[in-house]
Amino acid sequence: MELQVTDNPDEQRFEIRADGELAGVIVYHMRGTTIAFLHTETDDKFRGLGVAGRLVQSSLDSARERHLSVLPYCPYVKTWIAKHPGYLDLVPEDRHPDFGLLLLLPPKIRLFFRED
């Protein structure tokens, strides 16, 4: 299955096509140099095939290339970032608590905050 992700700024969404067929979208809102990911949706017949993950990764890669800050309001995008901490730097550090991303601090820093 060939997957292709494109940005559709007129619709404010990234789209993923599987063999040319629309398979999913991430709806976003742009404000200045910040992109807020609001909702991710995939067609039922493409679920469980890695389509949503590929869509999120490509969308985040695009944000990085464009030097945009990311606000992951979409629970799927937030969870994906939590599982792939190499993308955590896209979320402004002062906004990490807003998205429950404090648990992603490096182990040495977490030990400093450990409660015994």
Side-chain angles (χ1 to χ4, degrees):
M1 171 171 55
E2 181 184 338
L3 298 175
Q4 181 182 15
V5 177
T6 56
D7 184 8
N8 182 343
D10 292 336
E11 296 289 327
Q12 294 191 60
R13 68 187 197 177
F14 283 92
E15 302 172 342
I16 188 165
R17 296 186 179 278
D19 297 329
E21 183 179 350
L22 185 62
V25 299
I26 292 181
V27 177
Y28 65 80
H29 176 74
M30 286 285 301
R31 186 173 191 176
T33 59
T34 300
I35 186 167
F37 289 108
L38 307 174
H39 177 70
T40 303
E41 188 172 328
T42 55
D43 187 286
D44 288 342
K45 73 180 181 179
F46 295 104
R47 291 198 178 147
L49 302 175
V51 171
R54 172 76 179 276
L55 175 59
V56 170
Q57 182 175 14
S58 294
S59 300
L60 292 172
D61 287 343
S62 176
R64 185 182 304 283
E65 290 169 11
R66 295 160 57 189
H67 305 285
L68 300 175
S69 297
V70 170
L71 300 178
Y73 290 105
C74 169
Y76 187 83
V77 174
K78 179 180 75 171
T79 300
W80 196 93
I81 291 172
K83 291 180 180 177
H84 301 87
Y87 288 85
L88 184 60
D89 65 305
L90 293 173
V91 180
E93 192 171 335
D94 65 329
R95 298 298 305 269
H96 288 189
D98 298 338
F99 301 104
L101 297 172
L102 285 178
L103 299 177
L104 297 178
L105 293 171
K108 287 182 181 176
I109 295 173
R110 276 188 293 183
L111 287 175
F112 180 77
F113 292 102
R114 194 176 88 196
E115 294 180 23
D116 290 322

